[in-house]
Amino acid sequence: MNKPLTKELMMDTALLTKRLRQETSSEVMTDSASRGRYATDASIYQAMPVAVFVPKTAQDIASAIQIAAELKVPVLPRGGGTSQCGQTTGAALVIDNTKYFRNILDLNVDKGYVEVEPGIVLDHLNSSLKQHGLWYPVDVSTAAQATIGGMAGNNSCGSRSIAYGNMVHNVLGIDAWLANGQVAQFGSYANSSGAAKQLGDFVKDLAHTLQPEIEAHFPKVLRRVAGYNLDIFHPQSELPYTRDGSVNLAHLLVGSEGTLAYFKSLKLQLAPLPKHKVLGIVNFASFYKAMDSAQHIVKLGPTAVELVDRTMIDLARSNPSFKKTIETSLIDPAAQTPEAILLVEFSGEAHAPLLEKLKALQELMGDLGLPGSVVAMPDAGLQKNLWEVRKAGLNIMMSLKGDGKPVSFIEDCAVPLESLAEYTQALTDVFSKYGSRGTWYAHASVGTLHVRPILDMRRDGAQKMRAIAEEASALVRKYKGAYSGEHGDGLCRGEWISWQFGPKITEALAQIKQAFDPKGLFNPGKIVDPPKMDDASNFRFPPSYKVISLQPALDWSAWNVQNNPVTEETTSPGTGGDPAQGLAKAVEMCNNNGHCRKFDAEVMCPSYRVTRDEKHLTRGRANTLRLALSNQLDLQDKTSPLGSDAIKDVMELCVSCKACRRECPTGVDMAKIKIEFLSAYKKRVGHSLRDLAVAYLPKYAATISSIPLLPSLLNLRNHIAPIAKLQEWVMGISAERSLPIWKSKTFWRQKNTSSHQYSPAQLASQDGKGVVLLADTFNAYFEDENLQAAIKVLETAGYQVHIPQKSKDKTKTNAYTQNTCSKEFCCGRTYLAAGMVDQAKATLGELVSHLAPYAELNIPIIGLEPSCLFTLKDEALVMGLGEQAISVSKHAQLLEEFLAKEAKAGKLTLNLKAATKGVLFHGHCHQKSFAAVTPALELLKLIPNAEPKLIESSCCGMAGSFGYEAEHIEVSKQMAEASLLPSIRKSADNWVVADGTSCRNQIADGTNREAVHIAKILAAHLE
């Protein structure tokens, strides 16, 4: 339905753009890449917007609505873009509320309400409310990125709706722009006036006329969000809209999906933050038994009862981020995985009564024939971690490689609890009938279980989707449930509104739409006159979807697979049929859920945290790449879509932090993809002088350090401003930055260097006390004191240390020995940063070849610089270096990882004196990505009185050469100022420990404080 509209509206795009730019102060985007980033949400659909508008003020929104109305252009409000049904896709002027329109307007703690702008994110709101002992309790799993406006538009629910109700039960009022530009106040009907009262009267008359139809067709379950809330005058839900039975006109707008009005502000009912919570996790050997038990468990008065099935448990156990946490929920992690677990939460003002509730749960399960099936979890920290795994449920499922994906279209059905077991069994049989299966999870407390059959939408998925939907709807009707229970209607359930309510109510919904929006310009095609759910022209991956042929620089064959929708087993690498050899399928792993929009204590996504621009998200980059790789962008130069300016635009602020590699639940690895982009882009435009200076540092560093007086001469740049300015003009290296200090006496020119040469056999004979220590370029030539400190610590602890050195290498028997890209052994990191994959491979291959014999004898390979060390564990595995690279990767580890492991095994002998001041630790992004921060903190705890504290921060902003580049310095500083530098300034008397050389330089520049490598602080505290 939206496709013809696109062609009609494109004629007005130029005038629309001109007027928006002239009459507002906001951001307007009309290029295909920008529009493409807003063409999708977390659904299977895609529709190219007419333009994208990012408003800075409320007046700008009002002006945009007026301009669009005059030009007959539809308007689509957008929050986090996390809708699973296509609500935020459409050929319209898409208005992004999240960048600027996200403020708290009023907070009344005594009366327990808050008024907010629609673009505010739920987690950000609750973070502000926490100090007052309050929260907004509609706790959706996407709370880190979901906006209040979007939640109200969908009538979101959350895990604790059994205790707090849905969004509609917690909205007190909405001020909204109507289609004519007028602002109307929707609140208490009894006190309404003006346009709101007129519209309320109209709906009231409809409701009274249709009361018998409403009573006959509206589901009585709590979870019913389809259509408009026509029943506000005759409530049908088991939980009334208001506590006192009054009518609130704001509830007409909740769940309207942006089709009736544009939210200006929302007044929300707050709840006291529970002081205590306990969790009981019930393990079931039978899925049916779990479903049947839910109706009994809810009688104990829990605040949540959430399901996680066996498939999701297994997927979580296979993910390093979730494995330990999910296993805390199991009676016996070593035994067979349960078919399902139910997370049963109780909360209240006192802890003791909640423990009694846990006992009651255990007794109940015994009465139901399942004694000893409950894991009691009173610890708040363990509970929080487990809830995070549950919240990641959809993303965990979407991590399945191959074209078949779990598809949202019947994931929202709600049935009465007494029918839940029969319904799930019957639907499982339906999936089996069509050669698929579903993973079940979510809200057992209210009969809404999210289940998504695995379908391949590029092939026969649409036909199966229709067939399964038909049979699922029959089951929903049989059990007197609701077809749309939480995620809204959008494009995938809009056509089922008439099925649910019948023709008379469907016509009434159209009349409501006409009364609110006579021209039909607010998000057309949703709720009223929707398209068919399986209209392939609306799919993100229609049958016509084709990827360009491409030979990537790295090996992406692990992604180039297909899957079995029943067993979820994947074919062998390289068999997936991707013309881009797996690169396209790696990019397509992004399901658009927007987890990268979060602002929590982790890293992803540093650039977005500064700019709040969609293009600086992992999601925004992935969407742009997908469109480029499938020829959907209007590119001037089509010879290299991957190396195009459109991709450069989104990759410009990617700092290759690798956070998405770990924190993106579907594993979109933008740092590796950036290497692919750089390789393609630099082949197209060539390398700059700065690129060459950075890339070839391992080659010329030795030469500079060996020429008398040259290091001192080069160091003058840090003290004479005109030289720094000249360098900025010539090379683009910011004059505001101090550069690393060149030295004449480098590590390689120390007298004791040559004494650390041992063969693999010699180290293997040391009874586990032989190690390899890598002398990376940065520590060898600029901060050799870190290497000296590491040697001192290791030798004091009784280890024999081998340091790889080219001139001393006795194993020159491979193809890489002729490499001239580095004077000494090097990981090739600097070459990768410039897109020089061939040079990186030659350099890295040489190092891997030297290390392989040591790895084969299980000798630990230790590194000091995280970015270098983790190149051995990451990029080395996709550069065609074979089994040797795999062997080396398994033994490569940071100094702290090795020492912490030895300490835990009781093998570390280090006498450390007490610290005289505390320790702050900043984790390098790659440390965080590879879970190497915890070992560092454990090691620092061995220093008496150190009491190490982790600085909760994202990327430091330096990111190798990124923070030195003139065009990036302001963004670099903003990244550092987000939390890292302020935390250090507040703790003037502490040690600051940071393993990354670029991190230490950022800290020095930003605070005038010295940050030290962990090796130095250990050496300083040796007895």
Side-chain angles (χ1 to χ4, degrees):
M1 178 170 182
N2 286 331
K3 297 301 177 179
L5 193 60
T6 306
K7 297 174 184 176
E8 176 187 333
L9 291 170
M10 288 305 291
M11 294 184 294
D12 293 326
T13 302
L15 181 57
L16 173 69
T17 304
K18 179 180 178 182
R19 290 194 58 185
L20 287 173
R21 287 175 175 161
Q22 286 180 343
E23 299 174 36
T24 75
S25 60
S26 299
E27 300 169 20
V28 184
M29 294 172 279
T30 58
D31 63 282
S32 61
S34 294
R35 290 186 293 121
R37 288 188 281 275
Y38 286 84
T40 57
D41 52 16
S43 71
I44 59 174
Y45 301 103
Q46 174 175 301
M48 193 67 80
V50 176
V52 176
F53 185 70
V54 184
K56 293 182 178 179
T57 65
Q59 182 55 50
D60 283 349
I61 296 177
S63 298
I65 292 173
Q66 185 66 36
I67 293 168
E70 292 173 8
L71 298 177
K72 298 181 181 179
V73 176
V75 171
L76 199 171
R78 180 175 167 114
T82 62
S83 300
Q84 295 179 44
C85 308
Q87 288 95 322
T88 56
T89 66
L93 173 64
V94 174
I95 303 181
D96 182 351
N97 290 317
T98 61
K99 188 171 183 178
Y100 302 108
F101 204 49
R102 54 182 174 85
N103 300 298
I104 294 176
L105 303 175
D106 183 33
L107 171 62
N108 191 314
V109 174
D110 295 332
K111 294 184 178 180
Y113 71 79
V114 66
E115 187 174 357
V116 300
E117 291 174 332
I120 192 169
V121 172
L122 176 59
D123 269 0
H124 302 176
L125 172 61
N126 278 332
S127 178
S128 297
L129 296 172
K130 187 176 181 179
Q131 61 184 309
H132 304 291
L134 297 169
W135 74 314
Y136 189 61
V138 187
D139 58 334
V140 295
S141 63
T142 53
Q145 60 265 33
T147 64
I148 294 297
M151 291 169 61
N154 284 356
N155 192 8
S156 299
C157 303
S159 298
R160 296 174 175 85
S161 62
I162 189 175
Y164 297 100
N166 306 344
M167 193 77 187
V168 73
H169 301 104
N170 294 278
V171 173
L172 300 175
I174 296 176
D175 288 359
W177 285 284
L178 300 177
N180 62 7
Q182 178 183 359
V183 176
Q185 288 79 38
F186 295 86
S188 168
Y189 177 54
N191 299 323
S192 63
S193 62
K197 185 178 190 322
Q198 293 174 13
L199 291 165
D201 289 344
F202 175 78
V203 175
K204 181 180 180 182
D205 290 342
L206 275 179
H208 285 329
T209 302
L210 293 170
Q211 185 173 348
E213 290 285 322
I214 292 172
E215 291 176 350
H217 290 286
F218 268 63
K220 306 303 184 279
V221 293
L222 169 64
R223 294 298 192 88
R224 190 273 304 160
V225 301
Y228 301 132
N229 294 320
L230 180 58
D231 66 330
I232 60 171
F233 293 96
H234 307 289
Q236 299 300 302
S237 170
E238 58 189 290
L239 180 65
Y241 286 105
T242 59
R243 296 172 185 174
D244 60 4
S246 63
V247 175
N248 190 316
L249 295 179
H251 297 163
L252 271 176
L253 299 185
V254 177
S256 64
E257 301 186 355
T259 63
L260 300 181
Y262 195 113
F263 299 162
K264 182 181 181 185
S265 63
L266 300 95
K267 185 177 180 181
L268 310 175
Q269 179 69 57
L270 304 177
L273 197 60
K275 292 183 179 178
H276 299 279
K277 296 178 184 177
V278 298
L279 197 59
I281 304 100
V282 190
N283 287 225
F284 293 90
S286 160
F287 183 84
Y288 187 94
K289 185 67 174 178
M291 297 300 89
D292 190 52
S293 299
Q295 60 185 310
H296 306 292
I297 293 173
V298 297
K299 295 174 183 177
L300 298 177
T303 49
V305 182
E306 294 288 294
L307 166 72
V308 178
D309 79 351
R310 177 175 180 163
T311 299
M312 187 170 294
I313 295 171
D314 287 340
L315 285 170
R317 294 179 84 173
S318 68
N319 186 318
S321 297
F322 302 132
K323 185 179 189 298
K324 289 183 180 179
T325 297
I326 195 67
E327 289 184 349
T328 63
S329 69
L330 306 181
I331 293 287
D332 182 4
Q336 184 175 352
T337 303
E339 289 300 314
I341 58 175
L342 289 179
L343 280 61
V344 185
E345 180 190 83
F346 302 97
S347 62
E349 294 300 296
H351 198 242
L354 302 181
L355 296 178
E356 292 300 316
K357 291 268 193 180
L358 273 183
K359 289 182 181 178
L361 175 64
Q362 292 169 325
E363 291 171 0
L364 171 65
M365 298 318 299
D367 294 341
L368 294 175
L370 295 172
S373 62
V374 180
V375 174
M377 191 175 286
D379 182 85
L382 293 177
Q383 292 177 51
K384 180 178 181 296
N385 292 338
L386 191 56
W387 279 116
E388 289 301 318
V389 175
R390 156 59 194 92
K391 282 185 175 184
L394 173 60
N395 287 323
I396 291 173
M397 287 197 308
M398 296 300 289
S399 64
L400 178 65
K401 293 178 181 178
D403 292 344
K405 300 290 184 188
V407 177
S408 296
F409 65 102
I410 56 163
E411 88 295 346
D412 221 20
C413 302
V415 298
L417 282 183
E418 59 269 21
S419 303
L420 190 58
E422 292 183 17
Y423 166 74
T424 54
Q425 181 60 56
L427 195 54
T428 297
D429 293 341
V430 171
F431 294 156
S432 179
K433 176 180 177 181
Y434 293 102
S436 186
R437 67 189 294 270
T439 295
W440 299 85
Y441 72 102
H443 319 302
S445 59
V446 288
T448 301
L449 295 180
H450 298 328
V451 60
R452 296 168 176 83
I454 298 171
L455 302 175
D456 184 349
M457 300 307 294
R458 308 181 201 205
R459 295 172 179 85
D460 61 352
Q463 293 88 345
K464 289 183 177 180
M465 180 169 73
R466 168 66 60 183
I468 292 172
E470 296 283 358
E471 297 206 31
S473 65
L475 292 172
V476 170
R477 180 159 284 166
K478 175 182 177 180
Y479 294 114
K480 295 182 171 60
Y483 195 75
S484 187
E486 176 177 16
H487 297 150
D489 300 318
L491 296 176
C492 74
R493 275 187 289 274
E495 70 165 284
W496 296 92
I497 292 174
S498 59
W499 171 90
Q500 182 84 73
F501 295 122
K504 291 183 179 179
I505 291 177
T506 301
E507 175 58 29
L509 300 183
Q511 292 176 26
I512 293 173
K513 169 73 171 174
Q514 176 68 23
F516 274 82
D517 180 23
K519 296 181 181 179
L521 293 178
F522 277 149
N523 203 9
K526 314 303 191 303
I527 298 180
V528 173
D529 294 328
K532 292 292 186 181
M533 64 185 286
D534 50 357
D535 181 348
S537 66
N538 292 322
F539 287 166
R540 191 192 310 174
F541 297 110
S544 60
Y545 180 85
K546 293 290 184 294
V547 169
I548 62 172
S549 181
L550 180 73
Q551 182 58 55
L554 303 178
D555 177 9
W556 296 91
S557 61
W559 303 95
N560 191 14
V561 298
Q562 293 296 346
N563 58 54
N564 183 310
V566 176
T567 65
E568 297 185 10
E569 294 178 351
T570 57
T571 60
S572 58
T575 62
D578 182 359
Q581 308 303 312
L583 176 60
K585 291 196 184 300
V587 168
E588 292 161 5
M589 286 298 294
C590 176
N591 72 341
N592 281 275
N593 187 255
H595 191 59
C596 40
R597 294 175 70 96
K598 64 191 177 66
F599 276 73
D600 61 15
E602 294 185 297
V603 178
M604 185 175 68
C605 183
S607 52
Y608 176 73
R609 295 183 184 214
V610 170
T611 69
R612 291 182 183 264
D613 286 341
E614 180 73 19
K615 71 179 180 180
H616 296 138
L617 276 173
T618 302
R619 178 178 75 178
R621 293 177 179 122
N623 273 324
T624 311
L625 284 155
R626 176 178 55 81
L627 293 169
L629 293 175
S630 55
N631 267 333
Q632 296 185 66
L633 296 183
D634 296 330
L635 301 176
Q636 292 182 344
D637 182 358
K638 294 185 179 293
T639 59
S640 179
L642 181 59
S644 65
D645 290 340
I647 304 301
K648 178 182 184 296
D649 190 37
V650 296
M651 289 297 190
E652 183 74 19
L653 300 186
C654 174
V655 293
S656 300
C657 63
K658 296 183 187 280
C660 48
R661 177 190 177 276
R662 178 179 176 84
E663 296 173 36
C664 171
T666 60
V668 177
D669 192 342
M670 201 52 63
K672 280 202 198 75
I673 295 172
K674 185 173 182 180
I675 294 172
E676 289 289 353
F677 153 70
L678 286 170
S679 176
Y681 181 73
K682 294 301 180 180
K683 284 177 183 176
R684 182 171 75 86
V685 304
H687 290 91
S688 67
L689 180 59
R690 185 176 67 195
D691 292 334
L692 299 174
V694 171
Y696 284 97
L697 177 64
K699 182 172 184 176
Y700 66 76
T703 302
I704 287 178
S705 63
S706 65
I707 298 175
L709 300 180
L710 184 55
S712 298
L713 188 62
L714 292 177
N715 290 334
L716 290 176
R717 179 263 179 210
N718 285 349
H719 306 286
I720 301 176
I723 298 178
K725 283 288 185 182
L726 178 63
Q727 185 187 42
E728 179 174 319
W729 181 72
V730 173
M731 298 182 65
I733 295 176
S734 176
E736 297 180 42
R737 286 291 185 198
S738 59
L739 295 183
I741 306 298
W742 288 99
K743 294 182 175 182
S744 295
K745 195 175 181 181
T746 67
F747 177 77
W748 299 118
R749 304 186 77 188
Q750 304 286 336
K751 293 181 179 179
N752 63 345
T753 302
S754 60
S755 63
H756 294 96
Q757 297 296 309
Y758 299 98
S759 69
Q762 287 174 313
L763 289 187
S765 67
Q766 297 299 308
D767 295 325
K769 287 291 187 175
V771 299
V772 176
L773 177 63
L774 302 178
D776 61 86
T777 299
F778 305 103
N779 284 305
Y781 290 104
F782 298 99
E783 296 183 85
D784 64 297
E785 62 272 19
N786 295 332
L787 276 166
Q788 299 291 357
I791 293 170
K792 183 178 180 180
V793 169
L794 288 167
E795 291 186 337
T796 300
Y799 297 96
Q800 191 172 74
V801 180
H802 167 70
I803 299 177
Q805 187 174 4
K806 268 194 188 183
S807 59
K808 308 291 184 181
D809 186 16
K810 303 285 196 298
T811 63
K812 297 180 180 180
T813 59
N814 64 84
Y816 298 104
T817 55
Q818 300 305 314
N819 166 50
T820 59
C821 293
S822 61
K823 176 68 174 176
E824 292 295 344
F825 285 119
C826 176
C827 70
R829 182 87 246 161
T830 58
Y831 293 107
L832 291 175
M836 298 180 181
V837 178
D838 290 341
Q839 290 88 333
K841 181 177 179 179
T843 306
L844 185 55
E846 183 180 51
L847 175 61
V848 166
S849 180
H850 175 83
L851 295 176
Y854 296 89
E856 289 166 7
L857 294 178
N858 295 317
I859 296 170
I861 298 167
I862 298 171
L864 301 185
E865 174 58 38
S867 62
C868 296
L869 186 282
F870 289 118
T871 299
L872 290 172
K873 297 182 74 68
D874 195 9
E875 288 86 356
L877 302 180
V878 292
M879 297 182 73
L881 300 179
E883 291 297 322
Q884 283 191 333
I886 296 173
S887 177
V888 169
S889 73
K890 292 177 180 178
H891 295 84
Q893 54 203 296
L894 289 175
L895 175 69
E896 53 265 43
E897 291 182 283
F898 171 70
L899 292 178
K901 194 185 304 178
E902 292 285 280
K904 193 172 290 186
K907 298 178 181 178
L908 182 64
T909 305
L910 271 184
N911 295 318
L912 299 170
K913 58 188 177 185
T916 57
K917 54 185 178 181
V919 176
L920 291 179
F921 182 79
H922 166 67
H924 186 284
C925 291
H926 296 183
Q927 278 179 290
K928 296 174 183 177
S929 177
F930 285 85
V933 169
T934 298
L937 294 172
E938 291 173 349
L939 185 60
L940 289 169
K941 288 176 183 177
L942 297 180
I943 303 174
N945 301 334
E947 299 180 357
K949 294 179 181 177
L950 177 67
I951 299 173
E952 301 286 359
S953 64
S954 180
C955 178
C956 75
M958 194 62 100
S961 64
F962 179 87
Y964 291 99
E965 295 162 1
E967 68 272 27
H968 297 145
I969 187 165
E970 289 307 317
V971 170
S972 171
K973 288 180 178 179
Q974 289 175 55
M975 288 180 184
E977 291 291 352
S979 57
L980 172 61
L981 300 186
S983 298
I984 292 173
R985 294 188 191 108
K986 289 176 185 176
S987 304
D989 296 330
N990 291 56
W991 284 86
V992 179
V993 179
D995 281 356
T997 182
S998 57
C999 303
R1000 293 192 293 273
N1001 289 335
Q1002 180 77 298
I1003 292 168
D1005 277 359
T1007 65
N1008 288 319
R1009 295 272 300 279
E1010 181 190 15
V1012 301
H1013 193 281
I1014 197 168
K1016 282 189 69 174
I1017 191 173
L1018 289 172
H1021 288 84
L1022 289 173
E1023 290 280 10

